[in-house]
Amino acid sequence: MDLTIPEYAYMFGFLQADGHLSHQSRKRGRLAVEIGVRDIDLLRQFQKLTPYNSNIIERTRSTNFASTHTAAIWSLHSLEARTRINELGLPYGRKSDAISPPSVAFSRRDYLRGLIDADGSVGFTSKGFPFVSLTTASSAIASFLCDYAGEVTGAERNAKRNARDGVYNVLYMMELAQRLAADLYYPGCLSLERKRATADSLSAWARPVGMRAAYTARRWTEHEDRILLKLSSPMAAAEALGRTSQSCSLRLWRLRTGRVPMPNDQ
């Protein structure tokens, strides 16, 4: 499972969000993914990508949302496969707040598309505005989305847990959603077919005449980065650069952690 290969990066992102890894005595266990039967073709793609015996079954039962719901379940029992998946970052048991991006090299946009296909949404609001969103309990995943989407759209986000249930709801709308969806759902990519079709439809939206122009983030320059690093204080830099201290603090952290490149003379 080489995560630099787009299909495996996507598959791993989907598994982290929607898969379940369990183990029992004598090294027995299972990797399972359950989704609505309408998306069964995606599980068949996962089965083709996996060089181990696995099976897909359908199950119909009652749920809190429908009197009858038919699901497709992909199951994989190989110890070697489960060990590899676990080493890459899919924990055994409950995992929602423990997952994080892989520590090995991986295809970032394909991995993120897997997360969004499993735990996110792509579409139009009730008012007809395009949006892309992801709900996650993981701080690392929320930060990863904000960093990646910031590079693609130019919009900075500082994800915060909501007060009601303590999860992150990261949302991009209108032109930002269009740019992000176009980047993630590129032609020929592995994805849920219905979400890829919806992502394609976002490009047709145009801002209504008279609606206030979209906010365009002020991009950081190398000169500003040098000043920020020299002052090393978000509050002092905010005053010198005419930015918010929060923005300066986030930029300083990104520079120091290598998420954005240092100025050429640093």
Side-chain angles (χ1 to χ4, degrees), residues 42-60:
L42 183 67
L43 298 185
R44 291 173 178 145
Q45 290 295 321
F46 288 173
Q47 194 173 36
K48 290 179 182 179
L49 286 167
T50 306
Y52 303 92
N53 290 330
S54 63
N55 63 79
I56 299 173
I57 63 170
E58 295 181 23
R59 179 177 69 177
T60 301

Side-chain angles (χ1 to χ4, degrees), residues 24-206:
Q24 303 168 354
S25 60
R26 292 181 293 177
K27 298 183 178 181
R28 294 175 299 174
R30 181 175 78 145
L31 169 66
V33 184
E34 179 175 340
I35 59 178
V37 72
R38 64 176 174 172
D39 296 320
I40 194 172
D41 284 345
L42 183 67
L43 298 185
R44 291 173 178 145
Q45 290 295 321
F46 288 173
Q47 194 173 36
K48 290 179 182 179
L49 286 167
T50 306
Y52 303 92
N53 290 330
S54 63
N55 63 79
I56 299 173
I57 63 170
E58 295 181 23
R59 179 177 69 177
T60 301
R61 58 191 174 91
S62 297
T63 70
N64 293 332
F65 306 102
S67 56
T68 57
H69 170 73
T70 302
I73 305 168
W74 177 51
S75 298
L76 174 66
H77 296 273
S78 163
L79 174 61
E80 185 177 12
R82 287 186 287 114
T83 300
R84 174 62 174 160
I85 292 290
N86 178 245
E87 290 173 347
L88 287 172
L90 178 58
Y92 280 96
R94 294 181 62 85
K95 58 174 174 54
S96 59
D97 60 350
I99 60 173
S100 61
S103 58
V104 299
F106 66 103
S107 176
R108 297 165 69 220
R109 68 171 172 173
D110 297 289
Y111 168 75
L112 180 55
R113 187 177 64 259
L115 293 171
I116 290 176
D117 269 5
D119 272 353
S121 298
V122 179
F124 293 90
T125 67
S126 59
K127 294 183 178 180
F129 301 145
F131 75 92
V132 176
S133 68
L134 177 66
T135 300
T136 179
S138 166
S139 298
I141 295 299
S143 295
F144 173 75
L145 169 57
C146 291
D147 286 346
Y148 184 86
E151 295 174 14
V152 172
T153 68
E156 293 186 355
R157 289 282 191 277
N158 187 15
K160 294 182 180 179
R161 295 186 187 274
N162 66 44
R164 182 170 60 87
D165 48 17
V167 300
Y168 298 93
N169 294 301
V170 188
L171 173 68
Y172 295 87
M173 291 184 62
M174 302 187 187
E175 288 87 356
L176 303 182
Q178 287 178 310
R179 291 175 210 155
L180 186 57
D183 177 80
L184 295 176
Y185 291 87
Y186 57 88
C189 68
L190 177 61
S191 63
L192 287 174
E193 184 59 37
R194 58 186 173 84
K195 284 196 176 180
R196 182 168 58 188
T198 302
D200 289 344
S201 71
L202 263 56
S203 63
W205 179 82

Side-chain angles (χ1 to χ4, degrees), residues 236-256:
E239 185 174 347
L241 299 173
R243 291 180 176 270
T244 65
S245 58
Q246 183 182 38
S247 174
C248 291
S249 179
L250 179 60
R251 183 66 176 186
L252 187 60
W253 173 78
R254 286 176 173 171
L255 286 164
R256 288 174 172 172

